[in-house]
Amino acid sequence: MKTQWYKNAVVYQIYPFSFMDSNNDGWGDIEGIISKLDYIKDLGVTAIWFSPLYKSPDYDYGYDISDYRDIDEKFGTMADFDRLLDECHKRDLKVIMDMVINHTSIEHPWFKKALESPDSPYRDYYIIRKGRRKGNKLLPPSNWDSSFTGSAWERIGETDEFYLHLFCVEQADLNWENPAVRKKIIDILNFWMDKGVDGFRFDVFNMFSKVYPIQDDHQRNTFQKGAQYYVDGPRMHEFLQELNEKALSLHDSYTVGESFRPSEKEAHEYVKEENHELDTIFNFAHLDSDNIGGKKFFWKPFDLLQFKKGLIKPQTDYYKDAWNTLVLENHDNPRCVNRFSIDTEHYRYEAATMLATITYMGFGIPFIYMGQEIGFVNTDFSSIDEMKDPVSHFVYDLMRSYGMPEKLAFNFIKYGARDHSRVPMPWDDSVNGSFNRGHETWQCVNQAYQDINVKKDLNSNRSIYRYYQKLLAIKKTNKAAIYGKTREFDHGNKKIIAYSREYENTTLFVIGNFSKKSVKYVLPEWIRHGEIILNNYDELKKDGVNIVLKPYQAMVLEINKVD
Ligand code: NOJ
């Protein structure tokens, strides 16, 4: 029986490599996570999503899994995981596991066996095709691009065959057409849920189904060649329904899907309750409001109207028949206080709290990325060599191969790099921010830890963590904040975001100033006598019918109708 516990959940994401290193070997670990569970619980979250903890050779830092049923040694053992699960549950924290099932590592035994012999049944676990001969050249089976630059096909040794990889070369795409593959995946999901895991985050799920036969993409100006044949493919709904029927619905689970540029129509179909597919998907459209066409590294001036549309549209689209998620950061994005044209140097507290208020008071489940709750900032990387993420390197190399000067290429990468969110968590101002006891860390430490860290934030009278506590307490208990219908106001306003959430007799009005200057705003008449239930400044300045919102000021007003 599904209780739909997720509807008033608040999820905290941990990237295990960088959360807490208990044995001082440079890598975060499960023991370290356990030691910080009270800190997470006190924030007011109700569930934790763990980025992959499984065995992996780490070409894509955990997103290339070589054993779905075991924990990677650097993080601990299965016994440690069982204790983690238990310790989370003791604190009423649900556990959400990352599931990367579009592809496996090329070190997964399935892939190794597939390559052992042309007759191996495991060959059909992957998408392997003959290349095309052109003169004495052997070309890939199609012109598809990988999401991480270059061809999506890799030649198998000296043979004339290639395997498909929509991400790194070391991440081979699974063949979901093969029922044996789907059966294995269903068994893996049930294995974790039988252990007591409460849900999953499906990695790039809308690439499971591809269009066959494989063919060239002749469309011009596509984001990525081939995408029309491997995004939102023809059997997507059927595959998700099968996972739902044979695994997800058999437990009181929650699943959130991470998708790659889905069409709006398909996105809605994935989450419609009546379709029995996923409970929610992530919506990232607002996070593309400071880059060109969704290409993270290509900075453009922040467009608040685009941000508002991206944030609000799924809330109104999904309101009647589905549930939603609310995201500001994750392990694939830079820190939010360094985006959206924010003046972080002068207004870090105000901006961090404003962004959280206007995002999480919306319709959907708040997802908070580790460190976001103290307003942690981007790292001042000094060269590409300090970056670990393969994608930073692939794109940098590509830019350089087109002749872009070193400094310019590095500046683009530095703007959008995933590395910013992947550095060690700053716990205090001791060595390495007390992520560990001084051993060299797998990824460089962000030196800002000396000034921005958990200990300092908690002791400050302008603590971002404490503001999050107040915000989340409202989010979890106020019915209008959970179930209310969202209605946007003044969409055309280029400085302010404003919307209401209405449920039964209660209406909330949420407002935030994206500017570093004070801005006047005429409150709608019906909310003028509302009670301020949250405000990131001590006061609210009024000027006749206007309110004056200070730089990055945000608040929530509440009004109750009397019957
Ligand atoms: C999405 C994940 O969030 C990202 O970190 C990963 O690199 C790709 N999927 C490939 O698994």
Side-chain angles (χ1 to χ4, degrees), residues 13 15 49 51-52 59-64 98-103 147-148 166-168 171 201-205 207 258-260 282 284 296 330-332 389-391 418 422:
Q13 182 192 352
Y15 190 68
W49 148 30
S51 276
Y59 288 101
D60 189 20
Y61 295 97
Y63 285 87
D64 48 323
D98 222 310
M99 256 309 147
V100 190
I101 44 186
N102 174 68
H103 41 264
S147 312
F148 286 175
L166 295 179
F167 294 88
C168 287
Q171 293 164 299
R201 173 248 185 212
F202 283 173
D203 191 74
V204 289
F205 78 87
M207 289 181 166
E258 185 242 14
S259 51
F260 179 86
F282 288 132
F284 298 136
K296 282 198 187 87
N330 58 28
H331 64 293
D332 291 334
D389 180 13
V391 178
R418 312 196 294 182
R422 299 176 177 197

Side-chain angles (χ1 to χ4, degrees), residues 372-528:
Q372 187 192 317
E373 74 280 12
I374 58 159
F376 204 39
V377 292
N378 280 351
T379 302
D380 190 14
F381 292 107
S382 54
S383 93
I384 189 76
D385 303 328
E386 281 180 352
M387 295 182 163
K388 290 279 183 217
D389 180 13
V391 178
S392 300
H393 289 265
F394 296 151
V395 180
Y396 177 81
D397 291 347
L398 189 71
M399 288 171 169
R400 295 284 292 133
S401 74
Y402 282 109
M404 192 185 275
E406 221 173 285
K407 198 158 175 238
L408 185 61
F410 180 58
N411 280 344
F412 276 121
I413 301 298
K414 202 169 159 182
Y415 184 74
R418 312 196 294 182
D419 303 78
H420 289 299
S421 52
R422 299 176 177 197
V423 298
M425 176 84 178
W427 295 102
D428 61 28
D429 62 4
S430 322
V431 60
N432 289 347
S434 283
F435 163 68
N436 65 12
R437 298 185 295 283
H439 189 286
E440 191 187 343
T441 54
W442 76 279
Q443 161 76 293
C444 70
V445 168
N446 180 350
Q447 292 306 319
Y449 81 84
Q450 301 181 19
D451 203 38
I452 306 172
N453 57 62
V454 168
K455 188 170 171 199
K456 190 165 172 194
D457 183 87
L458 290 176
N459 289 330
S460 157
N461 55 8
R462 278 156 48 91
S463 161
I464 297 171
Y465 179 99
R466 305 246 183 258
Y467 184 89
Y468 263 71
Q469 283 180 317
K470 282 189 227 156
L471 166 65
L472 298 179
I474 296 172
K475 176 70 193 185
K476 285 184 301 183
T477 53
N478 185 306
K479 290 240 164 92
I482 305 168
Y483 301 105
K485 185 174 177 162
T486 306
R487 189 175 138 216
E488 199 195 352
F489 287 76
D490 298 308
H491 180 74
N493 190 319
K494 292 197 171 135
K495 293 188 173 143
I496 299 284
I497 178 168
Y499 60 85
S500 63
R501 304 282 321 278
E502 187 176 351
Y503 185 73
E504 294 177 343
N505 287 336
T506 307
T507 305
L508 303 176
F509 190 76
V510 182
I511 184 163
N513 176 9
F514 266 82
S515 146
K516 63 174 172 186
K517 299 217 169 96
S518 290
V519 174
K520 279 188 186 172
Y521 188 79
V522 185
L523 278 182
E525 206 166 337
W526 56 266
I527 195 69
R528 283 192 198 148

Side-chain angles (χ1 to χ4, degrees), residues 125-143:
Y125 272 45
Y126 296 90
I127 301 166
I128 297 177
R129 294 288 185 280
K130 277 203 165 33
R132 295 175 294 182
R133 288 249 164 236
K134 200 171 179 197
N136 52 7
K137 267 201 186 155
L138 185 64
L139 301 178
S142 74
N143 65 351

Side-chain angles (χ1 to χ4, degrees), residues 217-230:
D217 185 346
H218 296 295
Q219 262 183 358
R220 284 172 178 224
N221 303 325
T222 48
F223 180 80
Q224 220 169 274
K225 280 253 180 279
Q228 62 163 325
Y229 299 123
Y230 58 69

Side-chain angles (χ1 to χ4, degrees), residues 105-122:
S105 158
I106 54 167
E107 293 186 19
H108 193 289
W110 300 338
F111 192 76
K112 286 189 177 164
K113 286 185 202 157
L115 295 201
E116 268 166 18
S117 116
D119 309 319
S120 165
Y122 287 96

Side-chain angles (χ1 to χ4, degrees), residues 279-427:
D279 298 306
T280 56
I281 59 168
F282 288 132
N283 292 297
F284 298 136
H286 57 300
L287 300 182
D288 286 332
S289 52
D290 62 355
N291 64 42
I292 299 170
K295 300 201 178 199
K296 282 198 187 87
F297 300 106
F298 293 98
W299 178 88
K300 76 166 188 206
F302 172 56
D303 179 346
L304 179 58
L305 301 196
Q306 189 184 342
F307 181 96
K308 294 199 275 190
K309 183 170 174 233
L311 183 70
I312 305 286
K313 193 158 188 303
Q315 300 186 33
T316 47
D317 284 357
Y318 298 179
Y319 185 66
K320 276 215 178 77
D321 52 12
W323 211 253
N324 188 39
T325 57
L326 302 163
V327 181
L328 271 169
E329 286 184 13
N330 58 28
H331 64 293
D332 291 334
N333 276 285
R335 295 294 184 175
C336 66
V337 287
N338 292 94
R339 307 182 65 175
F340 317 127
S341 298
I342 279 168
D343 178 356
T344 318
E345 200 190 325
H346 299 104
Y347 297 107
R348 193 176 57 87
Y349 170 83
E350 291 79 358
T353 50
M354 181 276 286
L355 287 171
T357 308
I358 59 98
T359 305
Y360 297 141
M361 288 308 292
F363 167 59
I365 304 166
F367 276 77
I368 300 162
Y369 183 71
M370 63 184 215
Q372 187 192 317
E373 74 280 12
I374 58 159
F376 204 39
V377 292
N378 280 351
T379 302
D380 190 14
F381 292 107
S382 54
S383 93
I384 189 76
D385 303 328
E386 281 180 352
M387 295 182 163
K388 290 279 183 217
D389 180 13
V391 178
S392 300
H393 289 265
F394 296 151
V395 180
Y396 177 81
D397 291 347
L398 189 71
M399 288 171 169
R400 295 284 292 133
S401 74
Y402 282 109
M404 192 185 275
E406 221 173 285
K407 198 158 175 238
L408 185 61
F410 180 58
N411 280 344
F412 276 121
I413 301 298
K414 202 169 159 182
Y415 184 74
R418 312 196 294 182
D419 303 78
H420 289 299
S421 52
R422 299 176 177 197
V423 298
M425 176 84 178
W427 295 102

